[in-house]
Amino acid sequence: MKGYYFITDKRLSRLGNISDVRSALKAKVEIVQYREKNADTKEMYNEALKLRKICKDIIFLVNDRIDIAQAVNADGVHIGQEDLPYFMARKLLGKNKIIGVTVHTLKEAKIAREEGADYIAIAPIFKTSTKPNAKKPVGIELIKKIKKHVDLPIIAIGGIGILNAKEVISAGADCVCAISAVVTSKNVRRQIDKFQKMFV
Ligand code: TZP
Ligand code: MG
């Protein structure tokens, strides 16, 4: 796992999820997470189905919703500390699916590792207004600390943009996600390209 980690955000997007995900594929993104907090289940199912087809050759994950992930045969889910517990997500999805877990502390990261998570997302690194109920920013020091103690791929998310992404990567993040900085931009592909270049 290395590079830009794409998360959809229909509310912030200029051209919609389908267009954004196509642009992400052109920018050689290897992971797409479908994150939708405000839609009916049926709408989510239909959209996830379309995205799964577009993302047939890359990793396609669903945020929170294990049922939607199963229904569209996603590659896995991304869950937070408030979602269905890891052990139950694993029980429902089976051992071959990917489960990523958001963590805000070293302790949560260690627990995620012990439980068997495939990767962790550390969040929010900086202040963000994209997630209304986001916790207090954890800063890049936590990335360094977790990198030292927890042997799992690390995604960094929250308040990341072109100007601060490099320090996040230098601190030990394997992937970065920058939702607003990417989906509100006029050229999603070019914007992701800028992040991708920071990894080479
Ligand atoms: N989880 C923690 S912060 C966040 C999520 C989904 C939102 C990140 O959005 P942005 O625009 O990259 O700050
Ligand atoms: Mg969640």
Side-chain angles (χ1 to χ4, degrees):
M1 254 168 136
K2 256 294 168 248
Y4 189 79
Y5 178 112
F6 187 87
I7 300 183
T8 65
D9 192 315
K10 193 157 58 196
R11 290 195 155 186
L12 292 176
S13 171
R14 281 172 181 259
L15 298 171
N17 287 342
I18 302 287
S19 165
D20 288 348
V21 169
R22 287 193 202 283
S23 301
L25 288 181
K26 286 183 191 142
K28 304 260 187 301
V29 158
E30 289 171 7
I31 307 177
V32 165
Q33 182 198 124
Y34 174 53
R35 181 173 182 269
E36 175 54 64
K37 301 285 192 184
N38 302 292
D40 294 341
T41 296
K42 190 171 176 181
E43 192 184 331
M44 275 191 81
Y45 168 65
N46 286 329
E47 193 166 37
L49 208 52
K50 284 184 199 150
L51 294 174
R52 165 74 286 186
K53 283 189 188 135
I54 297 169
C55 298
K56 62 179 177 8
D57 298 323
I58 63 160
I59 296 171
F60 178 66
L61 306 177
V62 177
N63 184 275
D64 296 348
R65 295 285 300 268
I66 287 157
D67 56 342
I68 301 282
Q70 287 175 315
V72 305
N73 194 26
D75 298 301
V77 293
H78 185 88
I79 52 175
Q81 298 291 323
E82 316 75 21
D83 296 319
L84 212 53
Y86 174 87
F87 81 92
M88 186 49 70
R90 179 59 75 197
K91 189 170 165 188
L92 291 168
L93 287 174
K95 64 176 178 2
N96 294 328
K97 294 292 184 185
I98 296 168
I99 302 181
V101 178
T102 293
V103 302
H104 313 99
T105 62
L106 175 61
K107 189 171 172 203
E108 286 174 355
K110 283 182 173 170
I111 291 171
R113 174 78 183 91
E114 279 159 25
E115 288 183 324
D118 295 294
Y119 73 87
I120 48 175
I122 306 178
I125 307 299
F126 306 113
K127 197 171 171 304
T128 177
S129 44
T130 302
K131 181 173 165 128
N133 57 345
K135 292 243 170 19
K136 237 179 81 207
V138 296
I140 62 163
E141 287 310 311
L142 188 64
I143 302 175
K144 291 182 192 167
K145 200 152 90 177
I146 291 178
K147 186 78 179 177
K148 218 153 104 189
H149 293 99
V150 180
D151 179 25
L152 276 182
I154 293 172
I155 318 292
I157 177 167
I160 298 172
I162 297 293
L163 297 178
N164 59 17
K166 273 194 183 134
E167 58 171 327
V168 169
I169 296 164
S170 302
D174 299 288
C175 297
V176 295
C177 175
I179 299 181
S180 49
V182 163
V183 303
T184 65
S185 90
K186 283 223 173 88
N187 189 326
V188 169
R189 179 194 173 165
R190 208 178 301 152
Q191 189 75 347
I192 298 174
D193 279 340
K194 290 181 194 162
F195 287 102
Q196 297 287 49
K197 284 202 178 91
M198 297 181 196
F199 288 92
V200 291

